[in-house]
């Protein structure tokens, strides 16, 4: 895979993470249109990790607010009043479902 191919596939992968149709489908469409070979699994995982890091950095202030509210609630033992304070419990509940 050349540098141009990997850059274009990474951009397509990152942008299509927010669309209903998966990033994999957009990559395959692009590869079929341009006649490129299929990307190796290591490239696909690199694109996915890159998109995850970009989203985490984009929402860093929101994550920090949620985490600080959660810690303050645990330390001060106050009842969760805002969504930021209830959100970690919601995540724990969702992940605990079978």
């Amino acid at each position: 895979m050349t540098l141009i191919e990997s850059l274009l596939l990474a951009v397509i992968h990152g942008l299509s993470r927010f669309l209903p149709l998966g990033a994999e489908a957009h990559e395959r469409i692009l590869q079929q249109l341009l006649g490129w070979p299929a990307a190796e699994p290591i490239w696909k995982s690199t694109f996915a990790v890159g998109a995850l890091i970009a989203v985490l950095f984009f929402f860093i202030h929101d994550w920090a607010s949620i985490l600080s509210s959660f810690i303050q609630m645990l330390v001060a033992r106050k009842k969760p009043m805002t969504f930021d304070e209830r959100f970690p419990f919601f995540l724990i509940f969702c992940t605990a479902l079978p």
Side-chain angles (χ1 to χ4, degrees), residues 28-96:
R28 286 188 183 186
I29 291 170
L30 182 68
Q31 290 168 350
Q32 288 292 328
L33 288 176
L34 299 177
W36 293 345
E40 298 170 9
I42 190 72
W43 284 106
K44 291 181 183 182
S45 62
T46 304
F47 298 153
V49 169
L52 174 66
I53 290 171
V55 166
L56 288 176
F57 276 118
F58 185 78
F59 293 109
I60 190 106
H61 296 292
D62 296 330
W63 288 110
S65 172
I66 291 169
L67 185 62
S68 69
S69 296
F70 182 66
I71 291 172
Q72 287 175 4
M73 188 188 62
L74 289 178
V75 171
R77 296 186 185 260
K78 63 179 184 172
K79 184 178 177 182
M81 301 300 286
T82 65
F83 180 71
D84 286 349
E85 294 170 343
R86 290 188 297 243
F87 188 65
F89 291 113
F90 175 72
L91 289 178
I92 292 168
F93 175 74
C94 287
T95 56

